Amino acid sequence: MDFIKKNLEEITQSIKIYAEKANRNYSDVLLVAVSKTFPVEYIKEAYNFGIKDFAENKAQELRKKAEELKEYDIKWHFIGRIQTNKVKYIVPIAEYIHSVYREKEIAEIDKIAKKHNKIQKILIEMNISGEETKGGISENELEDLLEIAKKYDNVKVTGLMTMAPYTDDEEVIKKVFCGLKEIKEKYVKNYPDLKELSMGMSNDYHVAIQCGSTMLRIGSSIFGKRNYNIGG
Ligand SMILES: *Cc1c(COP(=O)(O)O)cnc(C)c1O
């Protein structure tokens, strides 16, 4: 599994270079390793390199891996579609839930977080590109949702998340990522907890860094091609 270490050396080096180009501190850009579909041995390898943040997109898989890796000081991120009946498995484990955009999800997260005596950090997923296949809300729905979230004491909205369209056209990607940054800067005045910008994946993270990303969600560039038939 030497390839994981090699990939991580390359990616962390490249994040440093892009952060420097954007006049940003490398330490302000968190690398979240997206371990979905990959075995726990891969996670251990990345952990030994120094990665502490890992992301999963399925509640059961998160639960299973967190149990197998409970001796490890890992921060788990949930980045998948939220099924309200699975929130009870996610909340006890996740440091951040990135993909929240419905009131019923917030209500359920709050309910379970209360039981576990925790304040769950969540990010609101935004659909900037307007693609119908993508989850998330548009900017004109954001303020209402932020107001709603305020009513739930055990939920804290700490940032915004988005995905760019799958394209090689950097201008299109930039519009989406820098668009999310603008929205955050507008709303942070009234919602000071809005700190994080979760954006940037294997093929577009360099653009995300330019646009102020604080959380990169990178999977295949670290762990290789995903095979959804195995464990996915
Ligand atoms: C799978 C996934 C990623 C990682 O994608 P890669 O292209 O493998 O880096 C990032 N974010 C979300 C929401 C994902 O589902």
Side-chain angles (χ1 to χ4, degrees):
M1 281 179 289
D2 264 1
F3 70 94
I4 293 175
K5 184 166 169 273
K6 198 174 142 280
N7 287 343
L8 280 167
E9 276 165 359
E10 278 178 26
I11 290 166
T12 50
Q13 192 54 37
S14 145
I15 295 171
K16 275 181 194 149
I17 291 166
Y18 283 108
E20 206 165 289
K21 271 195 196 164
N23 277 316
R24 303 187 52 206
N25 289 326
Y26 170 66
S27 60
D28 293 339
V29 188
L30 179 68
L31 172 55
V32 181
V34 179
S35 48
K36 65 187 185 198
T37 77
F38 295 107
V40 290
E41 286 68 36
Y42 283 29
I43 298 177
K44 289 179 187 172
E45 190 77 8
Y47 184 91
N48 289 336
F49 180 86
I51 303 297
K52 294 283 163 68
D53 291 80
F54 292 89
E56 292 287 336
N57 71 339
K58 298 254 161 61
Q60 271 100 335
E61 195 178 344
L62 171 70
R63 201 175 167 211
K64 188 160 170 279
K65 286 175 175 170
E67 175 60 27
E68 284 176 45
L69 294 164
K70 62 171 182 279
E71 311 299 330
Y72 290 72
D73 173 27
I74 287 175
K75 285 193 176 124
W76 292 102
H77 298 241
F78 189 79
I79 59 172
R81 289 274 70 78
I82 293 165
Q83 293 169 271
T84 42
N85 61 334
K86 305 271 175 66
V87 166
K88 58 180 179 287
Y89 304 132
I90 301 168
V91 166
I93 299 168
E95 180 84 11
Y96 290 93
I97 304 177
H98 291 235
S99 40
V100 181
Y101 63 95
R102 293 188 177 100
E103 176 170 11
K104 66 170 190 194
E105 297 165 353
I106 295 176
E108 183 67 12
I109 291 169
D110 180 73
K111 189 179 105 189
I112 307 292
K114 220 168 240 119
K115 275 190 197 157
H116 289 271
N117 213 358
K118 89 182 261 201
I119 304 216
Q120 180 65 56
K121 289 183 269 187
I122 66 168
L123 286 78
I124 303 291
E125 181 170 350
M126 307 282 300
N127 185 340
I128 308 285
S129 61
E131 288 169 284
E132 278 179 22
T133 53
K134 283 198 162 67
I137 55 170
S138 64
E139 188 189 347
N140 53 35
E141 298 166 281
L142 179 60
E143 183 148 27
D144 280 352
L145 196 61
L146 289 171
E147 279 304 310
I148 286 167
K150 263 192 188 169
K151 295 187 288 189
Y152 294 96
D153 292 337
N154 289 66
V155 168
K156 182 162 153 180
V157 182
T158 59
L160 304 176
M161 179 272 219
T162 201
M163 279 191 264
Y166 192 76
T167 170
D168 288 333
D169 187 342
E170 285 207 0
E171 285 311 308
V172 172
I173 297 168
K174 203 167 168 180
K175 230 174 153 172
V176 170
F177 288 163
C178 289
L180 190 72
K181 185 194 181 174
E182 274 178 32
I183 294 171
K184 190 205 84 171
E185 286 181 348
K186 193 155 120 197
Y187 286 84
V188 74
K189 295 181 191 109
N190 290 331
Y191 303 92
D193 290 332
L194 278 182
K195 293 197 171 75
E196 309 291 349
L197 282 173
S198 167
M199 55 192 197
M201 315 194 342
S202 290
N203 61 320
D204 55 23
Y205 72 88
H206 56 290
V207 186
I209 295 169
Q210 283 176 47
C211 294
S213 173
T214 64
M215 289 175 159
L216 306 172
R217 309 178 311 266
I218 300 183
S220 45
S221 299
I222 299 171
F223 298 116
K225 245 179 106 139
R226 278 183 292 274
N227 182 344
Y228 285 97
N229 297 321
I230 305 170

